[in-house]
Amino acid sequence: MASASVGKELTLYSYWRSSCSHRVRIALNLKGLKYEYKPVNLLKGEQSRPEFLQLNPVGCVPVLVDDHVVLYDSFAIIMYLEDKYPHNPLLPHDIYKRAINFQAASVVSSTIQPLHNLSLLNYIGEKVGPDEKLPWAQSIIRRGFKALEKLLKDHTGRYATGDEVFLADIFLAPQLHAAFKRFNIHMNEFPILARLHETYNEIPAFQEALPENQPDAVH
Amino acid sequence: MDLDLRKSGHGIGSNASLQSNLVLYSYCHSSCSWRIRFALSLKGIPYEYKAVDLSKGEQYSPEFERLNPLHYVPVLVDDNVVVSDSYAIFLHLEEKYTQKPLLPVDPQLRALNLQVASIIHSSIQPLHMLNVLKDMEKMFCAESKPWAQFTIDKGFSALEKLLKDFAGTYATGEHIYMADVFLAPQITLAVQRFDIDMSKFPTLSRLYETYKALPEFQASSPQRQPDALIHNP
């Protein structure tokens, strides 16, 4: 739901296939926040261009610009949105449930996704050969998913941590999408995660955030 | 293998008059555990230290599996709440134990701290985790240290750019916050284990000198932990 809004200056620099950008798109949609979508083509190296580096010296997406505030890193951006735009909360009140959400989000963002990111896969491709990239990614994902199934089994309702959509769902959805669609993980290996994946696909805020639905998507 | 309960100890500030409900499963040399020990020290929260000897594979014990099926430390047990993963534990502690805040109130500065911590937690440390490096060495039949050094250099370059306009005595100004809690163990590890040349990173290098002198950081350092005597590499 990218569009300019009168009096509101939210701009998201994003790449359609970036799972980290995908997280932020979901969060913005869930909070009903309008934003301008600015594509950054990672495959063309646009994140390394001078004009982008001036905005974000770290040279990665997503970047959220809120008036004069420039934010990077999906976890930091989403926590900022939660603080500044508290309607449609992305975290439950209960401190225990909050901790589970932080854990699930952090497992995805620090234990799974970094270990199958583009630069590591490219490194493995160079060192051993392109055929080894997929097995490596699958092994990383399987180990993480096995743990997530155990972590979530006592907490899931309709969604990851109960019957409302929260932070865990925002981090899980892009990871599940990547795992099942791009890395050929079979859904029957992970029943809880597979069910969540199907559920997310029915929610408009998640559908609209899908990679293939972005302005810069290549089909 | 059951965890060796003889290696339990008490964290800084623990005494009979302070009832502690916090248990921290930690390994003295784990930089992720060090973050949480440092945060607890800064907040002045007493805790029970439960050693998990990663070099003996204790993280694969049935007891530990129930705490964290990903088999890594730290894990915090806070009454009935079990939290693993240092980023999640930090956020839990910050929300529940509000003394000596480690996140600023200002939304932008708060986001910067979360971001710095996230770069370390998501873009640097996972890529040089011991089991990842071991897997790489098996695959490549070659030394994995160059990969670790490349990853750290790349992450530190990003952090140097981010922090140069914000750093004061500490990473994001004159108060110690989350960014420092994650930076201090990471820089120490980079220098001591991966031989990173810190002259390329003047801001981080200066922060490192500041951290080394901090009593709370010293108190939470690997050599001061109950399991340090048992495990000397």
Side-chain angles (χ1 to χ4, degrees):
Chain A
M1 39 184 34
S3 64
S5 170
V6 177
K8 184 45 69 182
E9 296 285 336
L10 279 181
T11 303
L12 179 69
Y13 291 79
S14 169
Y15 178 57
W16 64 289
R17 270 193 128 188
S18 154
S19 66
C20 299
S21 298
H22 189 173
R23 299 168 189 162
V24 175
R25 298 192 303 253
I26 296 172
L28 288 163
N29 292 348
L30 287 171
K31 286 194 171 287
L33 296 169
K34 304 272 193 240
Y35 61 95
E36 181 181 2
Y37 187 103
K38 289 220 185 221
V40 181
N41 192 321
L42 301 187
L43 296 189
K44 291 182 178 175
E46 289 179 355
Q47 72 278 21
S48 303
R49 290 185 180 175
E51 58 268 32
F52 187 77
L53 288 175
Q54 189 171 341
L55 181 73
N56 175 6
V58 182
C60 60
V61 289
V63 177
L64 185 76
V65 181
D66 182 359
D67 203 358
H68 303 298
V69 179
V70 181
L71 303 152
Y72 338 118
D73 180 79
S74 59
F75 215 126
I77 291 170
I78 291 167
M79 294 297 283
Y80 171 90
L81 292 174
E82 182 68 359
D83 283 342
K84 191 170 178 194
Y85 303 97
H87 55 283
N88 298 345
L90 305 177
L91 282 163
H93 285 298
D94 178 74
I95 199 158
Y96 177 39
K97 284 197 175 188
R98 287 171 81 90
I100 296 297
N101 273 274
F102 290 145
Q103 273 186 89
S106 204
V107 167
V108 171
S109 68
S110 76
T111 302
I112 305 178
Q113 191 279 334
L115 295 178
H116 65 67
N117 75 27
L118 200 57
S119 89
L120 176 49
L121 290 184
N122 285 343
Y123 185 77
I124 287 168
E126 285 165 23
K127 281 285 191 177
V128 197
D131 290 348
E132 287 304 317
K133 290 157 82 168
L134 183 59
W136 171 276
Q138 288 176 332
S139 166
I140 293 297
I141 291 168
R142 285 197 172 98
R143 188 169 61 200
F145 278 14
K146 188 177 171 185
L148 283 170
E149 288 267 322
K150 291 180 181 178
L151 177 68
L152 296 175
K153 69 175 162 53
D154 295 329
H155 302 287
T156 58
R158 179 165 172 75
Y159 306 108
T161 58
D163 293 320
E164 293 172 82
V165 170
F166 286 129
L167 189 75
D169 303 293
I170 292 169
F171 278 74
L172 283 168
Q175 181 66 58
L176 298 177
H177 184 272
F180 297 143
K181 293 288 204 288
R182 289 172 58 194
F183 293 108
N184 300 338
I185 300 291
H186 296 298
M187 288 195 202
N188 58 9
E189 297 180 53
F190 305 103
I192 293 173
L193 297 178
R195 179 178 60 74
L196 289 172
H197 177 64
E198 297 296 334
T199 301
Y200 298 146
N201 282 339
E202 294 165 6
I203 305 170
F206 286 71
Q207 287 169 351
E208 288 159 19
L210 286 170
E212 51 266 30
N213 292 333
Q214 302 315 302
D216 55 335
V218 177
H219 299 290
Chain B
M1 120 192 14
D2 287 329
L3 298 178
D4 188 340
L5 298 179
R6 292 173 300 163
K7 287 183 287 188
S8 298
H10 288 277
I12 300 306
S14 177
N15 58 60
S17 67
L18 280 172
Q19 181 61 43
S20 172
N21 293 318
L22 290 183
V23 178
L24 181 70
Y25 289 78
S26 169
Y27 177 55
C28 58
H29 294 294
S30 154
S31 68
C32 296
S33 297
W34 195 350
R35 299 168 186 165
I36 300 309
R37 299 192 307 252
F38 188 21
L40 289 164
S41 183
L42 287 166
K43 284 185 173 289
I45 304 172
Y47 61 95
E48 181 184 354
Y49 188 103
K50 286 222 185 224
V52 183
D53 193 333
L54 302 188
S55 70
K56 289 183 183 171
E58 289 181 351
Q59 69 273 33
Y60 296 105
S61 72
E63 178 189 348
F64 195 83
E65 162 85 18
R66 283 189 294 274
L67 292 173
N68 185 3
L70 267 171
H71 312 123
Y72 57 64
V73 286
V75 177
L76 185 79
V77 180
D78 182 354
D79 286 327
N80 298 322
V81 181
V82 178
V83 196
S84 55
D85 186 274
S86 60
Y87 204 86
I89 294 171
F90 179 96
L91 291 175
H92 170 77
L93 289 174
E94 184 65 11
E95 293 197 338
K96 186 172 176 185
Y97 301 92
T98 53
Q99 67 268 46
K100 295 176 191 169
L102 295 175
L103 276 172
V105 171
D106 173 73
Q108 186 173 4
L109 203 60
R110 187 185 188 87
L112 178 60
N113 273 273
L114 288 162
Q115 180 186 354
V116 169
S118 220
I119 287 174
I120 294 161
H121 187 58
S122 294
S123 301
I124 303 179
Q125 189 275 339
L127 299 174
H128 66 62
M129 251 190 320
L130 199 55
N131 61 315
V132 169
L133 295 184
K134 282 178 176 174
D135 286 347
M136 286 181 135
E137 286 179 348
K138 281 184 208 162
M139 284 182 76
F140 303 161
C141 301
E143 174 69 61
S144 62
K145 196 173 187 179
W147 163 258
Q149 290 169 329
F150 166 79
T151 293
I152 295 170
D153 269 357
K154 186 177 171 190
F156 278 14
S157 293
L159 291 169
E160 184 73 19
K161 288 175 184 172
L162 264 191
L163 294 176
K164 66 176 166 48
D165 294 333
F166 289 93
T169 306
Y170 299 106
T172 58
E174 299 308 312
H175 298 281
I176 193 161
Y177 285 131
M178 184 183 193
D180 304 289
V181 169
F182 280 67
L183 267 172
Q186 179 67 51
I187 299 176
T188 305
L189 191 74
V191 170
Q192 293 183 357
R193 197 180 300 173
F194 295 106
D195 306 319
I196 298 296
D197 174 12
M198 292 305 292
S199 68
K200 295 181 286 187
F201 313 109
T203 303
L204 298 185
S205 187
R206 181 172 58 71
L207 291 170
Y208 180 45
E209 295 304 314
T210 300
Y211 298 143
K212 283 196 281 184
L214 273 178
E216 294 91 346
F217 188 57
Q218 291 168 359
S220 53
S221 66
Q223 58 271 23
R224 298 264 290 263
Q225 304 315 305
D227 52 338
L229 293 178
I230 296 163
H231 185 80
N232 275 302

